[in-house]
Amino acid sequence: MFDFIIVPFTNALVFIYSLLGENFGLAIIVFTILVRVVTYPFNAQQMKSTRAMQELQTNPKYKAMQAKYKGKENREKLAKAQMELYQEMGINPLAGCLPTIIQIPLLISMYWAITRALAATPLQLLDLAKGISLPNAANLIPLNSHFLWMDLGQPERLFIPGIPIGIPVLAILVMVSSYFQSKMMTPTTGANDQAAGMGRMMSLYIPILMAYISYIYAAGLALYFVMSNILSIAQYYISRRPKPQAPATQGAISQGTK
Amino acid sequence: MKKKLYLTLIPLAALSLFLAACGSSVAAGSWPGITYDETRSLVYVAYNQSVHALQIENGLERWKFPVEPQGGFATYAAPQLTEDGQLIIGGYNNTLYSLNPENGALNWPFAEAGNRYIGSALAIGKLIFAPNADQRLYILDGQGNLVNTFPTQDPQWGQPASDGSSVYLTSMDHFLYALDAQSGEELWKLDLEATIVGSPALGADGMLYIGTLDHTLFAVDAQSHREVWRMPTKGWVWATPLILGGQLIVGDLDGIFYGVDAASGVETWRVDTGGAITATPALFNDSLYIGNEAGRLFSISLDGRSRELALPEVYQGPYYSSPIVAGDLLLLGLTNNPSILVALDEAGSIVWSFPPAAGQPATP
């Protein structure tokens, strides 16, 4: 279904793998960074939208509106007034959803690209043979799927002497990082109980879902999740840093050139 | 707000679909492996969650293993018969099984491998040589006891070949290995410079023929363990060549089907079939039969004249499995089709087919 994404993803992964000393773990990490760079404009838009929604909570007009249209019977009036306020403040409340929607085909394609590149079964190797266009592919296959303690083609577990079960370290990291990312990206909607409840539910549901996927699927996908979440959190905090004032910047430049 | 709710739920629904699509435990990883047992007039077909034993005359199921689907169990490699009457099958659950070919009863399992059995095992004398994707060849005795292992640098997907005194093993690590058939110790190895997925073909004159993913077919003399010739091909060579007198017949993943002079490695004819070939052809009724990934089936004369066969639409699909001759029938394995096996007579008419869901043969 997403072959037009999966094939280039697979080729890119194998190409990066060949450049990085045939280390598939590093290839996934570098590839994740490249994906984040390409999708940066969408993510930046989402963060801008999230911040605007958060700032809205402290807006006196918004608070007054919430107080004025209390009760179920005023729900439509409240929604209309909110939309007018959004327009007045230049906020698109749906802007935050686009990056999430874009993530779905990327996620599915990444899963299949990792599976194809590692080609653990004959049908997967045939799929790889059809899609791969690197001239040295015949010498790279099979890709080395080992990274740290993990086999990136298998669900990840860390076995520690004395502990009878394997610990799903990556699944835990995915859950924790997804939780922080969801909390960051979910606007707190104050008086609107329904929306706030939905946001809280998503903050719990998404990390659990992501952790479950990481627990049962190839560790390579979980590594992609962890890296993607870490980069997203870092991007959020970097974008929140106050920008230096223009005069001060000019001063710094003039000092530096003396 | 409703719009936003929908826009949040749509990705979650898509993720759920993703889980459903990717997580199916019955998604096939390979194609049917077929073995004909002339002594018992049975054909064994390993595909997905079961091995089926079918009566060759009518396609009726005699038994299947396991009787009920077992989580994590899947099998595709062609089952192998041992001299002492065991049927060896390899599973994707890292386990090798010995069954009674009469009734499918389990003799023993061997569960010490670390990965899947993708290629078939080879039974020579009292030993069983089972290649595994964990980069080890497991050498067992007839009771399922581990006798030895032989490690390589990469997974082993091809069934070994043997002349009785040596076992010839390929690995994705680019090497062809010769092992002592009694001890499993390495005798020699030869670097073929690219990934090897398929099995070697061994001629009566001691020549080995092996295809690699580097668009090359090699001939290696097992006595001198030196390369005799190499022939470039258009695509990757996965299939094991068929040796017919002084001629080799082999297909590649670009869909080219070659006739090659076995002594010199010179191409004598070629047919473009238009789809990847993973199978070894069968010689049936004085013609070569081969199918390809595009679902096209060909009958080709020994001098390279081809004729395309048209099976009814319900039996079409990718033909990845090697066709097998069973008496006066030709058996074709089907992938991604409700039927996994079709039996054709010499006229090319369907005698029976086997859809595993029904457990009974379907009449044409």
Side-chain angles (χ1 to χ4, degrees):
Chain A
M1 183 181 175
F2 294 115
D3 249 23
F4 67 101
I5 310 176
I6 297 169
V7 170
F9 269 28
T10 310
N11 276 282
L13 268 175
V14 177
F15 179 66
I16 296 167
Y17 169 85
S18 70
L19 294 181
L20 296 177
E22 303 191 2
N23 186 319
F24 199 60
L26 286 181
I28 290 174
I29 291 169
V30 169
F31 185 74
T32 310
I33 293 168
L34 290 176
V35 169
R36 295 298 304 191
V37 168
V38 171
T39 56
Y40 176 81
F42 301 107
N43 296 321
Q45 188 188 26
Q46 183 186 27
M47 286 174 188
K48 192 179 160 190
S49 166
T50 303
R51 272 203 307 277
M53 292 295 280
Q54 284 168 346
E55 283 163 13
L56 188 70
Q57 311 307 315
T58 54
N59 186 303
K61 275 190 184 176
Y62 185 78
K63 284 182 175 174
M65 187 190 300
Q66 297 281 351
K68 187 177 175 184
Y69 298 118
K70 265 187 180 173
K72 284 183 181 176
E73 65 281 7
N74 291 320
R75 194 173 285 168
E76 277 187 26
K77 286 179 185 171
L78 176 65
K80 194 181 169 198
Q82 276 178 338
M83 287 309 294
E84 285 169 3
L85 186 61
Y86 290 153
Q87 280 182 346
E88 187 186 319
M89 295 184 70
I91 296 172
N92 179 1
L94 302 179
C97 300
L98 183 62
T100 314
I101 292 169
I102 286 174
Q103 283 297 320
I104 299 301
L106 292 183
L107 184 68
I108 294 171
S109 303
M110 192 65 191
Y111 170 81
W112 284 113
I114 291 169
T115 306
R116 272 189 197 179
L118 292 177
T121 68
L123 285 179
Q124 287 164 3
L125 183 56
L126 269 182
D127 279 339
L128 179 64
K130 280 183 286 186
I132 198 86
S133 50
L134 300 174
N136 60 339
N139 291 316
L140 294 171
I141 296 168
L143 272 58
N144 177 11
S145 61
H146 293 281
F147 180 61
L148 302 176
W149 69 91
M150 298 170 257
D151 180 344
L152 296 168
Q154 302 286 327
E156 176 267 347
R157 305 287 185 271
L158 177 62
F159 289 92
I160 297 171
I163 300 178
I165 55 163
I167 302 166
V169 177
L170 275 185
I172 293 167
L173 285 176
V174 166
M175 185 155 69
V176 171
S177 57
S178 296
Y179 177 76
F180 281 112
Q181 194 204 15
S182 297
K183 288 291 281 184
M184 241 168 43
M185 297 295 182
T186 308
T188 48
T189 42
N192 190 336
D193 290 339
Q194 188 192 359
M198 195 176 76
R200 279 196 298 274
M201 187 188 76
M202 290 301 160
S203 296
L204 289 174
Y205 181 64
I206 289 176
I208 291 169
L209 182 69
M210 301 299 260
Y212 177 67
I213 292 172
S214 306
Y215 184 78
I216 60 169
Y217 289 121
L221 189 67
L223 185 62
Y224 169 75
F225 286 159
V226 172
M227 272 311 296
S228 193
N229 288 346
I230 290 171
L231 290 169
S232 182
I233 291 166
Q235 187 185 349
Y236 180 79
Y237 280 106
I238 289 167
S239 70
R240 276 175 66 96
R241 279 199 313 205
K243 289 177 184 168
Q245 297 296 316
T249 307
Q250 281 171 357
I253 290 168
S254 59
Q255 276 178 3
T257 50
K258 271 182 184 175
Chain B
M1 192 52 66
K2 273 187 179 175
K3 271 188 186 173
K4 190 160 188 181
L5 177 66
Y6 293 144
L7 283 170
T8 312
L9 289 177
I10 286 166
L12 289 175
L15 261 181
S16 305
L17 277 174
F18 163 71
L19 277 172
C22 305
S24 170
S25 61
V26 294
S30 188
W31 42 85
I34 310 159
T35 301
Y36 175 51
D37 181 349
E38 192 173 359
T39 308
R40 297 174 182 82
S41 295
L42 290 176
V43 56
Y44 310 107
V45 54
Y47 186 63
N48 221 339
Q49 295 184 299
S50 304
V51 180
H52 307 266
L54 311 176
Q55 295 176 177
I56 193 64
E57 66 273 17
N58 53 20
L60 274 171
E61 186 177 85
R62 174 82 66 84
W63 55 259
K64 74 172 177 179
F65 175 87
V67 176
E68 295 297 329
Q70 289 178 2
F73 177 82
T75 180
Y76 301 94
Q80 293 302 300
L81 286 159
T82 65
E83 288 177 8
D84 63 352
Q86 300 181 55
L87 187 70
I88 306 298
I89 62 165
Y92 271 30
N93 58 349
N94 310 354
T95 304
L96 194 75
Y97 298 87
S98 165
L99 306 181
N100 180 339
E102 298 287 352
N103 55 19
L106 178 66
N107 295 322
W108 48 259
F110 172 78
E112 292 177 29
N115 210 323
R116 296 164 171 165
Y117 289 95
I118 289 177
S120 295
L122 173 76
I124 292 291
K126 293 178 178 173
L127 294 179
I128 297 158
F129 296 79
N132 191 277
D134 72 359
Q135 312 175 2
R136 281 188 174 80
L137 178 74
Y138 290 86
I139 305 169
L140 312 177
D141 66 17
Q143 287 72 49
N145 302 308
L146 185 64
V147 174
N148 204 350
T149 59
F150 180 75
T152 55
Q153 297 298 311
D154 275 317
Q156 304 166 10
W157 279 21
Q159 184 190 26
S162 178
D163 53 14
S165 60
S166 299
V167 169
Y168 302 101
L169 172 73
T170 55
S171 165
M172 288 187 174
D173 67 6
H174 305 187
F175 279 91
L176 165 70
Y177 297 88
L179 313 177
D180 183 276
Q182 301 301 316
S183 64
E185 297 301 321
E186 181 181 315
L187 300 173
W188 53 267
K189 64 179 180 180
L190 184 66
D191 185 358
L192 298 186
E193 303 163 15
T195 304
I196 310 165
V197 182
S199 307
L202 177 61
D205 57 355
M207 291 291 287
L208 290 155
Y209 304 99
I210 306 113
T212 72
L213 297 195
D214 197 20
H215 312 83
T216 309
L217 179 67
F218 284 90
V220 175
D221 183 351
Q223 299 302 314
S224 64
H225 38 95
R226 288 173 196 274
E227 177 188 324
V228 177
W229 52 255
R230 65 175 71 187
M231 187 196 93
T233 54
K234 186 162 183 273
W236 295 3
V237 184
W238 183 325
T240 304
L242 175 70
I243 305 169
L244 276 179
Q247 192 171 213
L248 290 180
I249 316 291
V250 69
D252 69 19
L253 293 192
D254 272 18
I256 309 295
F257 195 58
Y258 305 87
V260 181
D261 179 65
S264 62
V266 172
E267 180 185 320
T268 50
W269 52 261
R270 68 162 65 188
V271 173
D272 188 349
T273 68
I277 298 171
T278 55
T280 301
L283 182 65
F284 181 64
N285 208 14
D286 294 328
S287 286
L288 298 161
Y289 283 79
I290 190 72
N292 68 20
E293 187 180 37
R296 297 172 70 184
L297 183 65
F298 292 86
S299 161
I300 299 172
S301 68
L302 293 177
D303 57 0
R305 282 175 289 123
S306 67
R307 179 170 66 93
E308 190 166 351
L309 306 176
L311 292 191
E313 201 168 320
V314 289
Y315 299 119
Q316 286 178 356
Y319 300 113
Y320 295 123
S321 307
S322 297
I324 298 290
V325 177
D328 55 359
L329 295 177
L330 181 71
L331 305 174
L332 292 175
L334 302 176
T335 309
N336 300 336
N337 192 297
S339 293
I340 60 172
L341 198 65
V342 173
L344 305 180
D345 63 16
E346 291 182 354
S349 304
I350 293 169
V351 180
W352 52 260
S353 65
F354 179 70
Q360 299 293 325
T363 49

